[in-house]
């Protein structure tokens, strides 16, 4: 029997290492599916439509918003981003575990539709480390970096709205903790009972 997959929400401020952790998790666990969002921003060199994003024009995006196609959507720096709800639901019904890499506002929207979603917030180990990561090897001005710090602090203030909290100080440890959350939810009674219903039935004869 196919059990319902789990929907994971992964959020973090810029500089916390969320994207790197998610890519490493996917390499470690191929059963994880990373949701591909729609966006109106231009495709960058090396990106592939349907892999990195679904690239669509603004008019088409707004039509999808009006139809209620998106599980969550937001405007970031003049570009729109959104997660297609039908795609997510079909993957979950097929038993796949889906990860949404979104900000706290998107997470809030998703929780309203999927109250059972598992939400995880990634934090840097200290303000100093965050500042160093946001400095981007000295390519940005002090004012730009300070602006990024303010945005990160605003994002981090929402950590208490999430189910799990991971501090990304040691990358391998943070990755192990992230994966352990996924494994633990796969071992929950409701999921195991659905997946192994026949075996359990035979054991209880």
């Amino acid at each position: 029997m196919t059990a319902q997959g789990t929907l994971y929400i992964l959020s973090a401020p810029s500089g916390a290492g969320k994207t790197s952790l998610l890519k490493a998790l996917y390499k470690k666990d191929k059963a994880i599916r990373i949701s591909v969002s729609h966006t109106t921003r231009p495709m960058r060199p090396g990106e592939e439509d349907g892999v990195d994003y679904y690239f669509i024009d603004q008019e088409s995006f707004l039509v999808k918003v009006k139809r209620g196609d998106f599980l969550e959507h937001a405007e970031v720096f003049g570009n729109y981003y959104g997660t297609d709800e039908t795609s997510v639901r079909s993957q979950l019904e097929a038993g796949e575990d889906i990860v949404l890499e979104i900000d706290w506002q998107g997470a809030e929207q998703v929780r309203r539709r999927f109250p059972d979603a598992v939400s995880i917030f990634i934090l840097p180990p200290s303000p100093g480390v965050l500042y160093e990561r946001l400095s981007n090897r000295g390519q940005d001005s002090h004012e730009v970096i300070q602006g990024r710090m303010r945005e990160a602090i605003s994002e981090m203030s929402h950590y208490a709205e999430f189910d799990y909290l991971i501090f990304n100080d040691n990358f391998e440890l943070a990755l192990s903790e992230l994966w352990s959350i996924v494994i633990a939810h796969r071992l929950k009674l409701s999921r195991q009972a659905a997946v192994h219903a026949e075996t359990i039935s035979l054991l209880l004869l």
Side-chain angles (χ1 to χ4, degrees), residues 89-183:
R89 288 191 181 278
S90 63
Q91 288 177 294
L92 291 173
E93 288 168 5
E96 296 179 341
D97 293 328
I98 313 296
V99 181
L100 303 181
E101 184 185 357
I102 52 179
D103 66 9
W104 71 270
Q105 295 176 83
E108 193 173 56
Q109 293 178 52
V110 172
R111 278 192 290 262
R112 285 198 290 267
R113 304 263 193 115
F114 288 86
D116 293 333
V118 179
S119 57
I120 306 162
F121 202 88
I122 310 295
L123 282 175
S126 71
V129 169
L130 178 61
Y131 184 88
E132 183 180 340
R133 291 175 181 174
L134 291 176
S135 296
N136 195 24
R137 301 179 183 177
Q139 295 175 0
D140 295 307
S141 68
H142 177 72
E143 290 73 20
V144 169
I145 297 167
Q146 286 299 320
R148 289 181 177 178
M149 283 291 291
R150 286 192 294 272
E151 290 175 6
I153 291 169
S154 176
E155 184 84 16
M156 290 188 294
S157 69
H158 294 274
Y159 78 92
E161 299 165 15
F162 291 73
D163 300 315
Y164 294 92
L165 188 62
I166 294 175
F167 286 86
N168 185 15
D169 185 6
N170 179 299
F171 184 85
E172 290 303 322
L173 175 59
L175 175 59
S176 176
E177 290 173 343
L178 180 58
W179 197 27
S180 72
I181 294 170
V182 174
I183 296 300

